[in-house]
């Protein structure tokens, strides 16, 4: 019996996955049951047959919506029927459906819990996620709106540690068409149409408005911006690392005079990287306050989330607060 040929959209998805997992012995696929992740899982199965990769699909049930257990079970059943081993992992998120206890918003809390669950199953193996070119464009646009720097505008990296994104060059319309070609019905997350979520508004209102006003190709242009900035980020990160090493900086100490003499752009990156190396997530305002310590009128110290930077002689000293129990 002849093997059924893939449709053009399913083939595009599958080839994108194959390029990324070639030579990878085992990979985990994050699958919510939505069109992007479902297309990713089915494309990964096609690719794995050619690359010899062992796959396991993981469906994370966040328990944030009514009926989430059923949605997760159906997603797992869909990929299992297509020959992919699937597992449902249920996570508990502080705040639950009421969202009252979220410290960083429900989207961020769910993302953190989801990635922790996927990482636990994957171990040392990569985790494939279904972010598309459209997700990349939205990420860049949100970064622009927030006044972010190049690190944020570089968007989603194809390989961000263990999390890999094979579909960053594939449009969302393609993953939906691929699901139709495969004969599967993806789950439609109601939150994607909920205007309470900023990304949902960008997806449904802002991007179409830009397409109408500026013409087609906006998503591709924004995604191309991310790709260009990713290359720049690699160079700038290397320069920053070389500076820190050459000046003898360590986790708790940063030389004051060389920092004061560095160009503004470099000094900002140095402070940001120095703080990040100690696990301190500093905002632009925090970084500028720390840089202000280079001036005599800048004060003697700056309080940061979970830490404090003090000016002591010719050095900046970072004191990280002990974790509370």
């Amino acid at each position: 019996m002849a093997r059924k040929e893939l449709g053009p959209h399913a083939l595009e998805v599958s080839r994108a996955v194959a390029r990324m997992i070639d030579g990878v012995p085992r990979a985990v696929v994050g699958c919510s049951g939505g069109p992007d992740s479902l297309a990713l899982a089915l494309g990964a199965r096609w690719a794995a047959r050619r690359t010899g990769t062992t796959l396991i699909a993981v469906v994370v049930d966040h328990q944030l919506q009514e009926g989430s257990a059923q949605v997760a079970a159906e997603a797992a059943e869909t990929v299992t029927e297509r020959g992919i081993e699937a597992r449902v992992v249920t996570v508990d998120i502080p705040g639950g459906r009421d969202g009252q206890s979220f410290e960083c918003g429900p989207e961020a809390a769910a993302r953190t819990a989801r990635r922790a669950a996927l990482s636990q199953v994957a171990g040392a193996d990569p985790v494939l996620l279904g972010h598309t070119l459209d997700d990349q464009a939205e990420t860049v646009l949100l970064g622009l709106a927030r006044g972010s720097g190049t690190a944020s505008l570089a968007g989603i990296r194809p390989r961000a540690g263990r999390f890999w994104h094979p579909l960053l060059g594939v449009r969302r319309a393609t993953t939906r068409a691929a699901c139709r070609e495969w004969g599967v019905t993806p789950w439609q997350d109601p939150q994607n149409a909920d205007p309470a979520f900023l990304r949902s508004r960008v997806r449904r209102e802002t991007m179409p408005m830009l397409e109408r006003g500026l013409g087609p190709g906006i998503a591709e242009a924004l995604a191309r911006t991310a790709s260009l900035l990713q290359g720049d980020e690699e160079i700038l990160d290397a320069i920053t690392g070389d500076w820190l090493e050459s000046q003898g900086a360590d986790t708790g100490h940063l030389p004051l005079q060389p920092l004061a003499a560095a160009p503004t752009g470099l000094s900002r990156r140095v402070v940001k990287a120095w703080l990040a190396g100690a696990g301190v997530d500093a905002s632009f305002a925090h970084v500028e306050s720390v840089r202000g310590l280079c001036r005599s009128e800048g004060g003697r110290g700056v309080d940061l989330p979970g830490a404090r930077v003090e000016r002591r002689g010719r050095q900046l000293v970072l004191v990280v607060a002990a974790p509370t129990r």
Side-chain angles (χ1 to χ4, degrees):
M1 182 177 178
R3 181 184 300 173
K4 182 180 179 181
E5 294 292 333
L6 291 182
H9 302 95
L11 185 61
E12 181 181 349
V13 170
S14 300
R15 285 176 170 170
V17 181
R19 286 191 292 270
M20 184 159 281
I21 67 171
D22 188 23
V24 175
R26 180 180 182 272
V28 166
V29 182
C31 183
S32 67
D36 298 337
S37 65
L38 190 54
L40 170 68
L42 298 180
R45 178 177 179 270
W46 182 94
R49 287 177 168 178
R50 288 148 180 81
T51 61
T53 305
T54 300
L55 293 178
I56 177 171
V58 175
V59 183
V60 179
D61 176 11
H62 303 90
Q63 305 184 87
L64 293 177
Q65 299 178 28
E66 292 288 345
S68 64
Q70 181 65 25
V71 170
E74 290 177 355
E77 182 180 2
T78 298
V79 297
T80 299
E81 289 175 346
R82 298 300 177 111
I84 306 169
E85 179 185 353
R87 184 182 308 176
V88 175
V89 178
T90 302
V91 296
D92 293 310
I93 300 176
R97 292 174 191 164
D98 61 15
Q100 297 302 309
S101 301
F102 291 128
E103 294 182 359
C104 53
E107 291 175 286
R111 178 179 182 272
T112 298
R114 178 172 61 252
R115 293 203 165 204
L118 291 168
S119 297
Q120 186 172 11
V121 175
D125 299 315
V127 177
L128 309 182
L129 299 176
H131 295 92
T132 65
L133 184 148
D134 296 83
D135 293 304
Q136 182 74 291
E138 292 158 8
T139 299
V140 174
L141 190 58
L142 285 167
L144 286 168
R146 292 166 178 154
S148 302
T150 55
S152 177
L153 297 181
I156 306 167
R157 276 60 169 181
R159 299 189 184 191
R162 72 172 62 215
F163 296 103
W164 296 7
H165 305 90
L167 305 185
L168 288 181
V170 177
R171 293 299 304 265
R172 187 176 292 136
T174 299
T175 62
R176 291 173 176 169
C179 286
R180 291 193 294 270
E181 291 172 356
W182 269 306
V184 294
T185 302
W187 172 62
Q188 300 297 334
D189 186 350
Q191 290 188 348
N192 289 337
D194 188 346
F197 295 96
L198 178 58
R199 185 176 285 270
S200 176
R201 297 198 300 274
V202 168
R203 179 174 301 175
R204 297 177 64 85
E205 300 173 13
T206 308
M207 289 298 296
M209 180 186 67
L210 290 175
E211 290 279 356
R212 290 192 300 269
L214 301 177
I218 295 301
E220 289 86 352
L222 289 168
R224 184 166 61 250
T225 295
S227 180
L228 292 169
L229 288 175
Q230 286 168 16
D232 292 346
E233 273 293 292
E234 292 178 4
I235 297 172
L236 294 170
D237 284 346
I239 292 172
T240 301
D242 289 345
W243 189 98
L244 287 165
E245 182 178 358
S246 68
Q247 298 301 327
D250 58 35
T251 302
H253 303 84
L254 188 64
L256 194 59
Q257 291 180 340
L259 180 66
T264 299
L266 177 59
S267 67
R268 283 174 176 157
R269 297 186 70 90
V270 163
V271 170
K272 182 77 171 179
W274 179 60
L275 295 173
V280 178
D281 185 15
S283 67
F284 176 78
H286 292 139
V287 170
E288 291 301 278
S289 294
V290 172
R291 291 179 62 242
L293 295 176
C294 294
R295 305 185 298 271
S296 58
E297 68 274 16
R300 302 297 301 177
V302 173
D303 289 317
L304 306 169
R308 179 175 171 80
V309 176
E310 296 180 352
R311 175 174 172 162
R312 299 180 187 174
R314 297 183 178 181
Q315 295 188 102
L316 296 181
V317 178
L318 176 63
V319 180
V320 178
T324 57
R325 294 185 178 179

